[in-house]
């Protein structure tokens, strides 16, 4: 788990946590030989991850390797739907962008979730998975003066009740 804390001048602390939650497609015994097959199952990891993610009462939860599904009957394979529902009941809203598997059944992407009582979404732009050259040509149209970003980045602008606008990537 990574935790980043930023103290605003005259304000409160902003807490961000970041997790790679490991999509099923990537959770094989060959990659994780020290884990049992049961330990790698989403059903056995999900509640532990949710507890860990929310234990610090973060303002933002950033997730990588979130598995999603375009098939509404794919309940077990749609980790995104499960996370969205579970985090919503804990006071979070979120946004997601697929980086692998666009237009297919299952995909993998990144998500950003924020505390609804502290932040509200002002706008959202998803940057498609493209080459560095294409990214450099198109990104300035999306952002005024962007730093060099990962082509899979997910940008969100959120504003707090008593804070300035914050852009995450």
């Amino acid at each position: 788990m990574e935790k980043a804390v930023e103290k605003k001048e005259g304000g409160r602390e902003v807490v961000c946590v970041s997790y790679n939650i490991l999509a099923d497609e990537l959770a094989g015994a060959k990659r994780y030989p020290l884990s049992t097959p049961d330990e790698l199952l989403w059903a056995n990891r999900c509640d532990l991850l949710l507890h860990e993610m929310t234990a610090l009462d973060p303002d933002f939860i950033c997730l990588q390797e979130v598995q999603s599904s375009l098939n509404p009957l794919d309940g077990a394979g749609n980790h995104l739907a499960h996370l969205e529902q579970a985090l919503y009941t804990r006071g979070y809203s979120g946004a997601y962008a697929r980086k692998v598997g666009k237009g297919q059944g299952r995909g993998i992407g990144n998500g950003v979730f924020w505390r609804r009582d502290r932040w509200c979404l002002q706008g959202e732009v998803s940057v498609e998975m493209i080459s560095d050259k294409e990214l450099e040509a198109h990104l300035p149209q999306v952002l005024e003066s962007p730093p060099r970003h990962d082509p899979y980045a997910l940008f969100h602008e959120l504003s707090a009740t008593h804070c300035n606008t914050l852009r995450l990537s």
Side-chain angles (χ1 to χ4, degrees):
M1 171 181 66
E2 296 177 35
K3 176 184 173 185
V5 178
E6 179 183 333
K7 185 97 175 184
K8 292 280 185 184
E9 211 175 293
R12 64 175 181 76
E13 178 174 275
V14 177
V15 178
C16 298
V17 294
S18 178
Y19 294 87
N20 181 318
I21 63 170
L22 188 61
D24 282 346
E25 290 180 28
L26 307 173
K30 286 184 180 180
R31 284 188 168 177
Y32 300 95
L34 301 178
S35 298
T36 68
D38 282 348
E39 290 171 332
L40 295 174
L41 289 175
W42 175 251
N44 296 334
R45 295 184 295 123
C46 183
D47 288 338
L48 294 171
L49 284 166
L50 284 165
H51 174 74
E52 179 75 20
M53 282 185 243
T54 57
L56 296 171
D57 190 31
D59 290 87
F60 300 98
I61 299 173
C62 304
L63 301 176
Q64 302 83 45
E65 289 189 21
V66 179
Q67 185 171 300
S68 64
S69 178
L70 299 176
N71 180 351
L73 302 176
D74 189 9
N78 195 347
H79 304 173
L80 174 63
H82 186 235
L83 288 167
E84 285 176 328
Q85 181 180 15
L87 288 170
Y88 188 85
T89 63
R90 290 167 171 84
Y92 291 87
S93 288
Y96 172 82
R98 274 186 170 204
K99 67 177 189 176
V100 175
K102 291 188 180 288
Q104 300 173 9
R106 285 188 181 175
I108 300 172
N110 299 324
V112 176
F113 294 84
W114 56 87
R115 289 289 308 253
R116 288 189 311 277
D117 61 343
R118 299 178 193 159
W119 302 89
C120 63
L121 182 65
Q122 297 295 308
E124 172 184 345
V125 176
S126 296
V127 178
E128 297 290 327
M129 188 169 96
I130 57 177
S131 70
D132 285 344
K133 187 176 181 180
E134 291 172 309
L135 178 66
E136 289 171 3
H138 293 95
L139 198 54
Q141 298 166 11
V142 176
L143 304 172
E144 290 103 23
S145 57
R148 185 174 174 89
H149 287 285
D150 180 330
Y152 314 127
L154 179 64
F155 296 96
H156 297 282
E157 290 187 20
L158 298 108
S159 64
T161 309
H162 301 292
C163 294
N164 295 326
T165 298
L166 179 67
R167 178 173 284 154
L168 297 177
S169 63

